[in-house]
Amino acid sequence: MSAISVGQAVVLGAVEGVTEFLPVSSTGHLKITEGLMHIPVDDDAVVGFSAVIQVGAIAAVLVYFRKDIVRIVSAWFRGLRDREERHHHDYKFAWWVIYATIPIVVVGLAAKPLIEGPLASLWVVAGSLIAGSGVMWAADQMGRHKRGEDDTSFKDAMLVGSSQILALLFPGFSRSGATMSTALILDLDRVAATRLSFFLGIPALTGAGIYELKDALGTGAGAAPLAVGTAVSFVVAYGSIAWLLKFVAKHSFNAFVVYRIVVGLALFGLLASGVLDS
């Protein structure tokens, strides 16, 4: 019997799709939702399921940014063949995304037992939600928002890519929140910071989903719930991406900061009262 039912998969897929690219922590929200549905958050099948349905959200990014991705990948292949093409920003950016993914891959493999063990606690999620809010608020205030996407550099990509480790080690911190905050500190404008977060998330999240697929199927996460959860995640994430890009073009991240604090405090309350099991 599958550890997760099709009905639960629909709910979790929707939660993943809404929260994956918003700076509110998809991992945190998934764990909270699993807890409320009495799904064991540290079960191997559940951990694998959560990683696999992220592929749906990543597929939404691939579809939404397909023109940009085709342009960047084409520039990369042209640069491999023609030395003159290597001066093009898109060629360099493709390599930067590859290099910037290495730190999270290394840490993810080395710290896997810790990430799936003690750090998977909902207490960690609650604390990380609130701590991440402080970082996000400070970054939005500190950043001068004067640099666009074409102004990004190798240093920017490496620092922003490496910041994904925070979300890996502290579920609740938010991968999007960490990358966007880092980009804002580096003075990128909010739209550029958001788009850079999207692009850097593609290889990291896709790799995590593929890596966990075999374990997810082998430990009780049935094929039907995985397929349904991934499909729902794709549809909802596509709408979430479109909304977020419009939102950050005209608004600060303060609404997300307040929301994270409220959710974090509520989670502390639910854990302390015994309503949720950590």
Side-chain angles (χ1 to χ4, degrees), residues 133-239:
S133 299
V135 173
M136 186 181 300
W137 180 84
D140 209 8
Q141 300 302 310
M142 291 167 55
R144 290 178 287 179
H145 315 292
K146 66 176 185 178
R147 301 171 57 208
E149 188 174 346
D150 291 337
D151 299 319
T152 55
S153 65
F154 174 68
K155 176 183 175 182
D156 296 328
M158 289 303 297
L159 289 174
V160 174
S162 297
S163 70
Q164 296 178 109
I165 294 172
L166 285 171
L168 187 66
L169 296 178
F170 305 105
F173 202 96
S174 169
R175 189 201 65 81
S176 296
T179 52
M180 291 177 192
S181 295
T182 302
L184 290 173
I185 292 172
L186 295 170
D187 294 329
L188 270 70
D189 63 47
R190 294 186 183 98
V191 173
T194 302
R195 284 173 60 88
L196 181 58
S197 175
F198 286 147
F199 289 128
L200 288 173
I202 292 172
L205 296 178
T206 301
I210 294 173
Y211 180 80
E212 294 285 357
L213 179 59
K214 181 176 180 293
D215 290 339
L217 289 171
T219 52
L226 280 171
V228 170
T230 302
V232 172
S233 172
F234 169 81
V235 174
V236 177
Y238 191 92

Side-chain angles (χ1 to χ4, degrees), residues 255-275:
F256 297 116
V257 171
V258 173
Y259 173 79
R260 289 170 58 105
I261 292 174
V262 170
V263 173
L265 291 175
L267 181 54
F268 271 130
L270 290 171
L271 290 168
S273 64
V275 174

Side-chain angles (χ1 to χ4, degrees), residues 90-158:
D90 285 339
Y91 171 79
K92 297 177 183 178
F93 185 77
W95 277 115
W96 297 347
V97 170
I98 294 171
Y99 293 143
T101 303
I102 294 174
I104 192 173
V105 172
V106 173
V107 174
L109 293 175
K112 191 173 187 289
L114 194 62
I115 294 167
E116 296 181 355
L119 293 178
S121 168
L122 287 178
W123 289 104
V124 175
V125 172
S128 299
L129 276 166
I130 295 174
S133 299
V135 173
M136 186 181 300
W137 180 84
D140 209 8
Q141 300 302 310
M142 291 167 55
R144 290 178 287 179
H145 315 292
K146 66 176 185 178
R147 301 171 57 208
E149 188 174 346
D150 291 337
D151 299 319
T152 55
S153 65
F154 174 68
K155 176 183 175 182
D156 296 328
M158 289 303 297

